[in-house]
Amino acid sequence: MTAPAFEEFEPARDCGCSGCVHRRRARPRRPPGRLAHLPARRGMAVVAAVSAALGVVTPAAALPAGHPTHRQAVPGDGPDTPQGAESPLHGPGSGAARPGGVLTPRTTRDAIIKRAKSWVTAKVPYSLGRYWTDGYRQDCSGYVSMAWGLNSNQWTGSLAKYGVKIKKSQLQPGDMLLYHNTANPQNGSHVVIFGGWTDSAHTHYKVYEQTPPHTRSRTTPYPYWSHAGKYVPYRYKGLAADSAGAETTDGRTSPDFPGADSFGLGAVNTYVTELGRMLIARGAAAYYPNGPGPAWSEADRGATEAFQRAQGWDDEEADGLPGPRTWGLLTSGGGRDITPQTTEPASHGVPGYPGKGYFRPGQSNDYVTRLGVQLTRKGFGRFYDDGPGPRWGEADRQAVAAFQRGQGWRGGAADGSVGPETWRRLFS
């Protein structure tokens, strides 16, 4: 397989964009005399003859043998990039700009792919300065702007702000693969739409891209034919709730499941914070007395397990670590919320009480954390220097004993042991 060669296109006579205007002015002028009056239909033969006579070297002849041509930068006030600069949409045939509107209009994966296919079907010609009938510039970044439904034409240096960076394992149809060469944007910068894997090993995928001579879709090696280590996957921020990226309760967009390595002991990232926020919205507020944070904790594990058990999952499934199923239910608002009846199995006829074995020296579990959180809410937090935690300790025993004395119990009845009646009264 060979890498696609990029070609330079002639500026349009009727296009008023800065790129075409500049390139029309920069083109070699015909000398006066009879050559200036030769019919235009003689085309390349005349150009070749004139070039030979004047000693002008054509772009193709200037390149070494076997060297592919590349897309050229649009001169003018825009960035030095192999595609046009940021610009508004253009009205059909008029060149008039339309309002930009919302930064990231809502859309779905199906809509993105449908728009991408529309240019493939129409075989839209590649152009640095022309605009298709839908108002988008006919280059690679204009194509992705169109597929994502943006209200403007972007370039490879600006498209990233409309997406969320993701991993290869998270790629789904409608995401983009972006390479922007910051050191020299004219050298290789390109962007494409990911259309889905074509093999189980995830070495090739279906691409939708705008490249000379026109829009195309074909099987492509991951991440691309050239600059293989430079392409970065992104997910559009404006995916609607029925897409894989779902909207959270505060209106922000959550990407797809970020991977198992984003959670668990030692994990510190924004996904852990987002998980906590979603769990609190589903009834896990008791696990987060100080609110969710980016560092994975026992509170995150316990709240996740509680949510999983609320779905009726068994011990193997309810392991306290979010997987694709757990994450999907949380981001979409599906499944059942956490309730006292479904958080843990009943023991001794008391909902949620796990048994005395969980509250002994050396034990470390989420039930101890929940106990401490509830004791703090009841006014017995003074026994915890650093707040409740998962490991049973003397602070827990003293707090329980104080609570029991507050119930009027004395002697052995107020020894700090957590029995079913203590649990029932504490959580009632």
Side-chain angles (χ1 to χ4, degrees), residues 167-173 177 194 196-206 219-224:
K167 302 176 183 178
K168 174 184 176 182
S169 60
Q170 298 172 252
L171 275 166
Q172 294 190 41
L177 290 167
F194 179 83
W197 297 110
T198 58
D199 65 327
S200 59
H202 291 183
T203 61
H204 289 74
Y205 67 100
K206 185 173 185 178
T219 298
T220 300
Y222 182 87
Y224 198 66

Side-chain angles (χ1 to χ4, degrees), residues 71-86 155-157 180-189:
R71 293 171 293 174
Q72 301 299 310
V74 175
D77 298 330
D80 184 18
T81 171
Q83 73 262 229
E86 293 182 60
W155 68 299
T156 58
H180 177 66
N181 186 355
T182 55
N184 183 6
Q186 186 171 320
N187 182 20
S189 297

Side-chain angles (χ1 to χ4, degrees), residues 42-56 58:
R42 296 181 62 180
M44 293 304 296
V46 173
V47 173
V50 174
S51 298
L54 298 178
V56 176
T58 63

